Amino acid sequence: MKLGDTYPALKRYDVADLHDLFCEAATTMRYLPPALRKQQLNFWPAFNASDYLNYADENTAVHITPSTGQVSRYELSVNITFELSLEDRKLIWSVALSQVNRRRGVAWKRLSKLFHCNVQTLKNDYEKAIVQLFLRI
């Protein structure tokens, strides 16, 4: 059974769109709240200062949250990676996560050290994994 039958939205994707899908999913993953919340133990000692300097404005809150479409595409990308081998999954997600919030794109040199191979070999393996995923659609 092909992935396009299970997920009809995948039928319009090509290889470049799959790459963009995983890059967007990695960015979405960074903006999602953590599964377990860290407990913070802080103590703020009282000091004499003006009231307007003691605490920040209650109305000001900046939260970057992904949209529902981004979360849906993130879920889609997680589900379709289970069709690949473990090595290809690690490679695809490592490449996608390495370029989040980075202007220069993928950190191929750092990833090649992580995977203990040449940069060109890593690029070829990544292209092969994306093409394999595309052929399963």
Side-chain angles (χ1 to χ4, degrees), residues 22-134:
F22 284 109
C23 294
E24 182 189 14
T27 306
T28 304
M29 188 187 319
R30 291 283 170 105
Y31 290 140
L32 287 174
L36 298 175
R37 189 167 199 170
K38 279 186 172 180
Q39 184 179 7
Q40 296 180 353
L41 301 173
N42 290 345
F43 176 72
W44 290 86
F47 59 92
N48 292 332
S50 301
D51 287 338
Y52 66 92
L53 292 177
N54 282 344
Y55 301 101
D57 185 20
E58 294 87 16
N59 299 330
T60 305
V62 177
H63 298 287
I64 300 175
T65 57
S67 67
T68 55
Q70 289 172 326
V71 173
S72 297
R73 288 187 294 275
Y74 167 72
E75 184 181 0
L76 173 69
S77 62
V78 168
N79 288 336
I80 65 175
T81 52
F82 288 119
E83 296 293 322
L84 296 172
S85 65
L86 181 63
E87 295 83 21
D88 289 343
R89 272 186 267 168
K90 284 183 181 180
L91 179 62
I92 286 177
W93 282 110
S94 297
V95 167
L97 285 169
S98 74
Q99 73 172 11
V100 173
N101 296 334
R102 191 166 189 260
R103 286 187 197 170
R104 294 175 49 200
V106 180
W108 292 109
K109 186 76 168 175
R110 188 177 54 132
L111 288 174
S112 67
K113 291 178 183 177
L114 181 69
F115 283 97
H116 304 291
C117 65
N118 189 6
V119 173
Q120 193 59 45
T121 305
L122 188 69
K123 287 181 182 180
N124 291 341
D125 290 345
Y126 175 71
E127 288 177 5
K128 187 175 88 175
I130 288 287
V131 168
Q132 281 180 353
L133 186 61
F134 174 72

